[in-house]
Coordinates of all heavy atoms in Angstrom, one line a residue:
N1121 N 0.8 -1.2 0.0 CA 0.0 0.0 0.0 C 0.8 1.3 0.0 O 0.4 2.4 0.3 CB -0.9 0.0 1.2 CG -1.9 -1.2 1.2 OD1 -2.9 -1.2 0.5 ND2 -1.6 -2.2 2.0
L1122 N 2.1 1.1 -0.4 CA 3.1 2.2 -0.3 C 2.9 3.1 -1.6 O 2.8 2.5 -2.7 CB 4.5 1.7 -0.2 CG 5.6 2.7 0.2 CD1 5.3 3.2 1.7 CD2 7.0 2.0 0.2
I1123 N 2.9 4.4 -1.5 CA 2.9 5.2 -2.6 C 4.1 6.2 -2.7 O 4.8 6.3 -1.7 CB 1.6 6.1 -2.6 CG1 1.6 7.0 -1.3 CG2 0.3 5.3 -2.7 CD1 0.4 7.9 -1.3
K1124 N 4.4 6.7 -3.8 CA 5.6 7.5 -4.0 C 5.6 8.7 -3.1 O 4.6 9.3 -2.8 CB 5.7 8.0 -5.5 CG 6.1 7.0 -6.4 CD 6.4 7.6 -7.8 CE 6.9 6.5 -8.8 NZ 7.2 7.1 -10.2
G1125 N 6.8 9.0 -2.6 CA 7.0 10.2 -1.7 C 6.8 9.8 -0.2 O 6.7 10.7 0.6
S1126 N 6.6 8.5 0.1 CA 6.3 8.1 1.5 C 7.6 7.9 2.3 O 8.7 7.7 1.8 CB 5.5 6.8 1.5 OG 4.3 7.0 0.9
I1127 N 7.4 8.0 3.6 CA 8.5 7.7 4.6 C 7.9 6.6 5.5 O 6.8 6.7 6.0 CB 8.9 8.9 5.4 CG1 9.6 9.9 4.5 CG2 9.8 8.4 6.6 CD1 10.0 11.1 5.3
V1128 N 8.7 5.5 5.7 CA 8.3 4.4 6.6 C 9.3 4.4 7.8 O 10.5 4.3 7.6 CB 8.4 3.0 5.9 CG1 7.9 2.0 6.9 CG2 7.5 3.0 4.7
V1129 N 8.8 4.6 9.0 CA 9.6 4.6 10.2 C 9.3 3.3 11.0 O 8.2 3.1 11.4 CB 9.3 5.8 11.1 CG1 10.3 5.8 12.3 CG2 9.5 7.1 10.3
Y1130 N 10.4 2.6 11.3 CA 10.2 1.3 12.1 C 10.6 1.7 13.6 O 11.6 2.3 13.9 CB 11.1 0.3 11.6 CG 10.7 -0.4 10.3 CD1 11.1 0.2 9.1 CD2 9.9 -1.4 10.3 CE1 10.7 -0.4 7.9 CE2 9.4 -2.0 9.1 CZ 9.8 -1.5 7.9 OH 9.4 -2.0 6.7
E1131 N 9.6 1.3 14.5 CA 9.9 1.4 15.9 C 10.1 0.1 16.6 O 10.6 0.0 17.7 CB 8.7 2.1 16.6 CG 8.6 3.6 16.3 CD 8.0 4.4 17.4 OE1 7.7 3.8 18.5 OE2 7.8 5.6 17.3
S1132 N 9.8 -1.0 15.9 CA 9.9 -2.4 16.4 C 11.3 -2.7 16.7 O 12.3 -2.4 15.9 CB 9.3 -3.4 15.5 OG 8.0 -3.1 15.1
T1133 N 11.6 -3.4 17.9 CA 13.0 -3.7 18.2 C 13.5 -4.8 17.2 O 12.9 -5.8 16.9 CB 13.0 -4.4 19.6 OG1 12.6 -3.3 20.5 CG2 14.4 -4.8 19.9
V1134 N 14.6 -4.6 16.6 CA 15.3 -5.4 15.7 C 16.9 -5.4 16.0 O 17.3 -4.5 16.7 CB 15.1 -5.1 14.2 CG1 13.6 -5.3 13.9 CG2 15.5 -3.7 14.0
Y1135 N 17.6 -6.4 15.5 CA 19.0 -6.4 15.6 C 19.6 -5.4 14.6 O 19.0 -5.1 13.6 CB 19.6 -7.7 15.5 CG 19.3 -8.4 14.1 CD1 20.0 -8.1 13.0 CD2 18.4 -9.5 14.1 CE1 19.7 -8.7 11.7 CE2 18.1 -10.1 12.9 CZ 18.7 -9.7 11.8 OH 18.5 -10.4 10.6
P1136 N 20.8 -4.8 14.9 CA 21.4 -3.9 14.0 C 21.5 -4.4 12.6 O 22.1 -5.5 12.4 CB 22.8 -3.6 14.6 CG 22.5 -3.8 16.1 CD 21.6 -5.0 16.1
G1137 N 21.0 -3.7 11.6 CA 21.1 -4.1 10.2 C 19.8 -4.7 9.7 O 19.7 -4.8 8.4
A1138 N 18.8 -5.0 10.5 CA 17.6 -5.7 10.1 C 16.8 -4.8 9.2 O 16.1 -5.2 8.2 CB 16.8 -6.2 11.3
T1139 N 16.6 -3.5 9.6 CA 15.8 -2.6 8.8 C 16.3 -2.6 7.4 O 15.5 -2.6 6.4 CB 15.8 -1.2 9.4 OG1 15.4 -1.3 10.8 CG2 15.0 -0.2 8.6
E1140 N 17.6 -2.4 7.2 CA 18.1 -2.2 5.8 C 18.3 -3.5 5.1 O 18.1 -3.6 3.9 CB 19.5 -1.5 5.9 CG 19.4 0.0 6.3 CD 20.7 0.5 6.9 OE1 21.2 0.0 7.9 OE2 21.2 1.5 6.3
D1141 N 18.6 -4.6 5.9 CA 18.8 -5.9 5.2 C 17.5 -6.7 4.9 O 17.5 -7.5 3.9 CB 19.8 -6.8 6.0 CG 21.1 -6.2 6.1 OD1 21.5 -5.3 5.3 OD2 21.9 -6.6 7.1
I1142 N 16.5 -6.5 5.8 CA 15.3 -7.3 5.7 C 14.1 -6.5 5.2 O 13.4 -6.8 4.3 CB 15.0 -8.1 7.0 CG1 16.1 -9.1 7.3 CG2 13.7 -8.7 7.0 CD1 16.1 -9.8 8.6
C1143 N 13.9 -5.4 6.0 CA 12.6 -4.7 5.8 C 12.6 -3.9 4.5 O 11.6 -3.9 3.8 CB 12.4 -3.7 7.0 SG 12.3 -4.5 8.6
I1144 N 13.6 -3.1 4.2 CA 13.6 -2.3 2.9 C 13.5 -3.2 1.7 O 12.7 -2.8 0.8 CB 14.9 -1.5 2.9 CG1 14.8 -0.4 3.9 CG2 15.1 -0.8 1.5 CD1 16.1 0.5 4.1
P1145 N 14.2 -4.3 1.5 CA 13.9 -5.2 0.3 C 12.5 -5.6 0.2 O 12.0 -5.7 -0.9 CB 14.8 -6.3 0.5 CG 16.0 -5.8 1.4 CD 15.3 -4.8 2.3
I1146 N 11.8 -5.9 1.3 CA 10.5 -6.3 1.3 C 9.6 -5.1 0.8 O 8.7 -5.3 0.0 CB 9.9 -6.7 2.7 CG1 10.7 -8.0 3.1 CG2 8.4 -7.0 2.7 CD1 10.4 -8.4 4.5
L1147 N 9.8 -3.9 1.3 CA 9.0 -2.7 0.9 C 9.3 -2.5 -0.6 O 8.3 -2.2 -1.3 CB 9.5 -1.5 1.6 CG 9.2 -1.5 3.1 CD1 9.9 -0.2 3.8 CD2 7.7 -1.4 3.4
E1148 N 10.4 -2.7 -1.2 CA 10.8 -2.5 -2.5 C 10.0 -3.6 -3.4 O 9.3 -3.3 -4.4 CB 12.2 -2.6 -2.8 CG 13.0 -1.4 -2.4 CD 14.4 -1.4 -2.9 OE1 15.1 -2.5 -2.8 OE2 14.9 -0.4 -3.5
R1149 N 10.1 -4.9 -2.9 CA 9.5 -5.9 -3.7 C 7.9 -5.8 -3.7 O 7.4 -6.0 -4.8 CB 9.9 -7.3 -3.0 CG 9.3 -8.5 -3.8 CD 9.9 -9.8 -3.2 NE 9.4 -10.1 -1.9 CZ 10.1 -10.0 -0.8 NH1 11.4 -9.7 -0.9 NH2 9.6 -10.2 0.4
E1150 N 7.4 -5.5 -2.6 CA 5.9 -5.5 -2.5 C 5.3 -4.2 -3.2 O 4.2 -4.3 -3.8 CB 5.4 -5.5 -1.1 CG 5.7 -6.7 -0.3 CD 5.0 -7.9 -0.8 OE1 3.8 -7.8 -1.3 OE2 5.5 -9.1 -0.7
S1151 N 6.0 -3.1 -3.2 CA 5.5 -1.9 -3.8 C 5.9 -1.7 -5.2 O 5.2 -0.9 -6.0 CB 6.1 -0.7 -3.0 OG 7.4 -0.5 -3.1
G1152 N 7.0 -2.2 -5.6 CA 7.6 -2.0 -7.0 C 8.3 -0.6 -7.1 O 8.6 -0.2 -8.2
L1153 N 8.4 0.0 -5.9 CA 9.1 1.3 -5.9 C 10.6 1.2 -5.4 O 11.0 0.1 -4.9 CB 8.4 2.2 -4.8 CG 6.9 2.5 -5.1 CD1 6.3 3.3 -3.9 CD2 6.7 3.1 -6.4
K1154 N 11.3 2.2 -5.7 CA 12.8 2.2 -5.5 C 13.1 3.0 -4.2 O 12.7 4.1 -4.1 CB 13.5 2.8 -6.6 CG 15.1 2.6 -6.5 CD 15.5 1.1 -6.7 CE 17.0 1.1 -6.6 NZ 17.5 -0.4 -6.7
Y1155 N 13.8 2.2 -3.2 CA 14.2 2.9 -2.0 C 15.2 4.0 -2.3 O 16.1 3.9 -3.1 CB 14.9 1.8 -1.1 CG 15.6 2.3 0.1 CD1 14.9 3.1 1.1 CD2 17.0 2.1 0.3 CE1 15.6 3.5 2.2 CE2 17.7 2.6 1.3 CZ 17.0 3.3 2.3 OH 17.7 3.8 3.4
G1156 N 15.0 5.1 -1.6 CA 15.9 6.2 -1.7 C 15.5 7.2 -2.8 O 15.9 8.4 -2.8

């Protein structure tokens, strides 16, 4: 449900690197949008 121009902020506890290594690729794959 992500649209262009959005910001996603994670508050859930994760180990260092999880946001970039796990979460961002999922957002890209599901949305078809490009991170950054």
Side-chain angles (χ1 to χ4, degrees):
N1121 299 281
L1122 198 62
I1123 59 178
K1124 283 187 178 182
S1126 295
I1127 293 177
V1128 182
V1129 182
Y1130 288 89
E1131 289 211 3
S1132 305
T1133 300
V1134 292
Y1135 56 78
T1139 301
E1140 292 162 297
D1141 296 343
I1142 295 176
C1143 299
I1144 289 174
I1146 293 173
L1147 293 174
E1148 285 190 313
R1149 183 175 66 250
E1150 295 292 331
S1151 67
L1153 302 176
K1154 188 67 177 176
Y1155 168 63

